[in-house]
Amino acid sequence: MRGTVLQYDDNSGSGFVSGDDGIRYTFRRSDLQQLRPISAGMKVDFVPKDGTASEIYIIDASGAIASGNPAPQGGGYAPGFQGGYAVAAPAGASAYSGEDLGLWDYFKKAMAKSFNGEGRARRKEYWSFVLFTSLIFFVLGILMFTIAGGAIAAALNEAAYGYSYGYGGAGLGALIGALGIWWIVFLVVSLIFLPAGITVSIRRLHDLGMSGWLYLVVLLPYIGSLFLFVCALIPSQNQVNKYGPIPKPAPPVYGG
């Protein structure tokens, strides 16, 4: 039987078809037989049974069954599709974008978008940024403890023997000065990473379909940090959302 798609909801994976017999039939994503986007108004050919439509094929303008790869059985993905079956996407939008970059390249990408909170960031980009910033601050921490240890040793030596020593014969005053320089370097590095940390977090929220304004929950002690941590662990929405396409390379097409 032929009919027209009345509605398709990608979130629930279900929709309605109005048959040429005037009866409305329900269908599921798994009833679609082609890897093609589907939306309201499309003409389809289907098998009616007990109020449901199965074995659905999209009909092109000529009235023939439209070409398209068959939907894989048991799952699989293709560009522009979710769960192995057609999904609705904004006109002209590509379902997937981006490349499968290495950790360092994702870190550089996050830094390059320090003042750009638009679009989406996958988990790999977010955690690449966290990894390299953590390593940099770890190195700064080692330097701080080294300098602070020298300053403490110099202070104890001066108190006990009336003179101080440090690295290269530097006295207590020189070591305290070095510690002050360390704090300046730490502050500068923190200010460099701060904008990128904010925008990559906002884009990570976008990747889950959430508003970037939710980043403000970080102002709530403990709860805010826990919320952002959980969001950083959740996989990308496997569909185009209002913030852009899926920030991953397109998976291979099966059955094509």
Side-chain angles (χ1 to χ4, degrees), residues 2-25:
R2 301 263 168 127
T4 304
V5 177
L6 296 177
Q7 178 185 351
Y8 178 73
D9 180 15
D10 180 47
N11 292 323
S12 64
S14 62
F16 297 94
V17 172
S18 176
D20 289 344
D21 58 359
I23 298 176
R24 177 181 294 186
Y25 299 88

Side-chain angles (χ1 to χ4, degrees), residues 119-134:
R120 300 165 60 174
R122 61 185 297 194
R123 287 180 298 178
K124 189 174 181 180
E125 179 181 348
Y126 178 87
W127 287 111
S128 295
F129 176 81
V130 171
L131 171 64
F132 285 104
T133 52
S134 298

Side-chain angles (χ1 to χ4, degrees), residues 77-97:
Y77 292 93
F81 303 91
Q82 178 179 356
Y85 303 100
V87 300
S94 174
Y96 292 90
S97 68

Side-chain angles (χ1 to χ4, degrees), residues 5-59:
V5 177
L6 296 177
Q7 178 185 351
Y8 178 73
D9 180 15
D10 180 47
N11 292 323
S12 64
S14 62
F16 297 94
V17 172
S18 176
D20 289 344
D21 58 359
I23 298 176
R24 177 181 294 186
Y25 299 88
T26 61
F27 71 91
R28 302 287 300 174
R29 181 183 293 123
S30 56
D31 295 313
L32 302 172
Q33 302 299 304
Q34 301 153 297
L35 290 175
R36 292 175 58 90
I38 188 168
S39 59
M42 284 187 168
K43 300 295 183 180
V44 293
D45 183 274
F46 64 96
V47 176
K49 182 179 180 181
D50 299 329
T52 62
S54 61
E55 300 182 32
I56 300 173
Y57 290 90
I58 298 172
I59 305 301

Side-chain angles (χ1 to χ4, degrees), residues 11 88-90 93 117-120 205-214 237 239-246:
N11 292 323
E118 297 181 357
R120 300 165 60 174
L205 291 171
H206 287 173
D207 192 37
L208 304 178
M210 301 180 185
S211 170
W213 288 105
L214 284 174
Q237 277 192 329
Q239 63 188 50
V240 176
N241 64 26
K242 64 180 180 180
Y243 300 106
I246 305 169

Side-chain angles (χ1 to χ4, degrees), residues 29 44 114 116 127 139 194 234:
R29 181 183 293 123
V44 293
S114 292
N116 183 0
W127 287 111
V139 172
L194 179 61
I234 300 175

Side-chain angles (χ1 to χ4, degrees), residues 85-178:
Y85 303 100
V87 300
S94 174
Y96 292 90
S97 68
E99 301 173 325
D100 192 14
L101 304 177
L103 298 179
W104 176 247
D105 289 326
Y106 269 122
F107 170 72
K108 292 192 296 182
K109 178 181 178 181
M111 291 300 299
K113 302 188 73 171
S114 292
F115 299 96
N116 183 0
E118 297 181 357
R120 300 165 60 174
R122 61 185 297 194
R123 287 180 298 178
K124 189 174 181 180
E125 179 181 348
Y126 178 87
W127 287 111
S128 295
F129 176 81
V130 171
L131 171 64
F132 285 104
T133 52
S134 298
L135 288 175
I136 291 171
F137 282 116
F138 177 74
V139 172
L140 287 175
I142 292 177
L143 291 176
M144 182 196 70
F145 283 112
T146 301
I147 296 172
I152 293 173
L156 293 175
N157 199 60
E158 186 172 22
Y161 304 106
Y163 66 91
S164 63
Y165 67 92
Y167 299 110
L172 176 60
L175 288 171
I176 293 177

